[in-house]
Amino acid sequence: METIEFSERLIERLKGATNVVVLTGAGMSAASGVPTFRGKDGLWNKFNPQELANVDAFLNDPKLVWEWYNWRRELIGKVQPNLGHYALVDAEAYFPEFMIITQNVDNLHQLAGSSNVLELHGNVMRNKCMDCAAVYNGKHIDHNNIPRCPDCNGMIRPDVVWFGELLPQDVLQTAQAKAAAVDVFFTVGTSSTVEPAASLSYMAKGNGAYLVEINPEPTPLSDYADESIHIGADVYLPRLVIELDKIKRWTM
Ligand code: NAD
Ligand code: ZN
């Protein structure tokens, strides 16, 4: 196993922490085989996800956008959580309050068994009505024959937040309140470029949290973080749990 050094400062902060948040992004699921948007192999056909994951694209060509989501659904339906997801399930036991705030729409934290997951960007396995927002669970959509909402006749779309759309305001407020009152904040597998999710990390450190970034590549957040560790989430998080076990055995 790769050696990962845990700094004295991080260990001290983890010892005293009662409240820990982990913000996750697409890199969290990379080791499960879910492509990231900005990674090397993040493309579907020749489209840039930003060109498809927005409301104008959907209104222009709902069939194409649904075809892309059906492809993503099929892919996500076949994959399993990785060791990083499972490590975050184990990590819950070491802190009185532990929350995952995820930008992912792939349901893998829930599938792994994490009990406190806030979905910032919805869930690709759910559908909703374009007009009245009624939620329809898990139904496969035939992209050649997109169904209409039985209540209002609106078009059915994936229940995810598209580029240019507002996040569900109650979810965002909960996330911001958490970020403002946390002891240690991990930012894992996100390029820290999609707002308002990216701001949560700045908000956490600005309010006194110890900020740790886990990402094989540097990001715009790297210099601001207390520590930026360039390693995969699937490698780092299982090692973190071993470390927590050592630390907390004597302090809990
Ligand atoms: P992003 O695609 O912008 O960035 C992914 C980051 O993960 C990159 O910085 C990359 O260096 C890093 N990374 C790659 N492999 C990693 C690993 N093994 N461990 C840790 N990090 C790794 O993703 P984002 O910041 O989450 O923003 C993209 C938006 O797209 C989000 O809003 C999200 O909802 C959506 N999205 C979701 C999924 C998913 O649900 N799995 C996949 C793609 C995109
Ligand atoms: Zn409707």
Side-chain angles (χ1 to χ4, degrees):
M1 195 189 262
E2 206 165 335
T3 316
I4 302 173
E5 294 294 330
F6 287 84
S7 72
E8 282 305 317
R9 282 170 76 207
L10 176 57
I11 289 172
E12 278 313 304
R13 294 300 293 257
L14 287 170
K15 267 185 191 161
T18 54
N19 200 325
V20 170
V21 167
V22 183
L23 173 68
T24 65
M28 181 76 214
S29 300
S32 293
V34 184
T36 59
F37 276 4
R38 289 170 191 78
K40 283 171 242 122
D41 41 28
L43 294 176
W44 176 76
N45 290 347
K46 50 189 182 302
F47 293 99
N48 173 343
Q50 294 217 26
E51 290 168 19
L52 293 171
N54 72 72
V55 77
D56 292 336
F58 187 68
L59 292 173
N60 249 339
D61 195 346
K63 179 174 172 311
L64 173 70
V65 173
W66 257 120
E67 202 178 343
W68 182 56
Y69 274 96
N70 281 338
W71 174 80
R72 290 185 67 197
R73 258 184 200 183
E74 206 171 303
L75 186 149
I76 287 168
K78 283 187 203 142
V79 304
Q80 297 296 324
N82 63 59
L83 291 177
H85 293 102
Y86 291 115
L88 291 182
V89 180
D90 294 341
E92 284 180 12
Y94 296 97
F95 304 99
E97 287 185 55
F98 185 87
M99 180 184 257
I100 295 171
I101 301 177
T102 191
Q103 300 170 81
N104 295 344
V105 296
D106 59 23
N107 209 39
L108 290 180
H109 287 300
Q110 293 89 333
L111 195 60
S114 283
S115 59
N116 201 8
V117 183
L118 198 62
E119 289 175 336
L120 289 180
H121 294 163
N123 191 312
V124 80
M125 298 303 185
R126 283 194 307 262
N127 304 322
K128 73 176 178 190
C129 168
M130 180 93 200
D131 295 336
C132 76
V135 172
Y136 299 99
N137 277 325
K139 193 166 172 278
H140 176 77
I141 300 297
D142 173 3
H143 58 263
N144 287 310
N145 192 11
I146 300 166
R148 296 274 171 173
C149 171
D151 293 339
C152 78
N153 203 38
M155 231 185 312
I156 301 297
R157 57 166 278 182
D159 188 8
V160 297
V161 177
W162 281 331
F163 291 105
E165 291 185 317
L166 289 179
L167 273 63
Q169 291 304 291
D170 52 333
V171 172
L172 180 61
Q173 277 164 13
T174 305
Q176 288 170 335
K178 280 305 267 189
V182 66
D183 301 310
V184 181
F185 192 97
F186 290 94
T187 300
V188 181
T190 166
S191 58
S192 290
T193 52
V194 177
E195 289 295 355
S199 294
L200 295 170
S201 303
Y202 294 90
M203 196 177 285
K205 183 170 171 181
N207 282 284
Y210 194 72
L211 178 62
V212 183
E213 176 184 62
I214 310 301
N215 193 318
E217 308 287 335
T219 76
L221 184 73
S222 301
D223 286 342
Y224 181 76
D226 291 298
E227 298 187 17
S228 181
I229 298 169
H230 298 305
I231 201 161
D234 48 306
V235 176
Y236 179 85
L237 294 171
R239 274 289 292 113
L240 174 67
V241 171
I242 294 172
E243 200 63 28
L244 287 177
D245 199 58
K246 282 196 243 164
I247 296 168
K248 293 285 181 170
R249 191 171 301 179
W250 310 112
T251 53
M252 273 186 112

